[in-house]
Amino acid sequence: MTAKNIDKEQFQELLKDSKPLLIDFWAPWCSYCRRISPAYDKIAEQYADLLTVAKINIDEEAHLAETERIEVIPVLVLYKDGKAIGSITAPESKAAIDLFIQKSVEKSGGFDE
């Protein structure tokens, strides 16, 4: 399972969902974004039951990136109950993404199951 690219409207709908949302803000010209993509896809597969995992291309959704104050990419932002609860910039591995998710969700009260 791979993380799918979404647009502003899809993002707004997913924020309303009870499931936490992990977004990778990226761009096709960003070599590090492309390098971390396979690890991000594994995260999408691993957390499929607990999280919605998606990507937003900042070139296609520049206004959304600006609204979300995205200044550096790649950046992963975790949302819960419609609000950002944590972010990690340029994670170096799948393990780093795992740790970020676990710590952020733990701080916010855990996964809603």
Side-chain angles (χ1 to χ4, degrees):
M1 170 187 236
T2 60
K4 69 176 188 167
N5 277 295
I6 62 171
D7 61 22
K8 181 181 176 183
E9 289 74 29
Q10 292 167 312
F11 174 70
Q12 294 300 330
E13 284 302 309
L14 288 172
L15 282 178
K16 297 174 190 173
D17 196 358
S18 61
K19 200 188 258 194
L21 173 63
L22 182 64
I23 297 289
D24 175 13
F25 289 92
W26 74 288
W29 47 263
C30 168
S31 61
Y32 195 84
C33 297
R34 291 191 312 270
R35 193 173 325 135
I36 199 70
S37 188
Y40 192 69
D41 288 340
K42 286 180 183 167
I43 290 290
E45 190 175 313
Q46 178 181 339
Y47 286 91
D49 295 337
L50 300 171
L51 289 175
T52 300
V53 179
K55 298 172 125 185
I56 294 177
N57 180 334
I58 65 163
D59 288 345
E60 294 174 357
E61 298 293 338
H63 184 70
L64 178 56
E66 186 179 316
T67 302
E68 293 298 310
R69 295 186 173 100
I70 304 304
E71 296 175 1
V72 178
I73 58 170
V75 64
L76 309 184
V77 181
L78 185 59
Y79 298 86
K80 187 175 177 189
D81 300 324
K83 295 185 281 290
I85 61 169
S87 66
I88 184 172
T89 303
E92 65 274 3
S93 65
K94 179 184 173 294
I97 300 170
D98 273 321
L99 187 59
F100 157 69
I101 291 168
Q102 294 302 325
K103 284 185 173 185
S104 297
V105 169
E106 189 178 292
K107 269 197 257 180
S108 72
F111 286 106
D112 299 329
E113 295 188 58

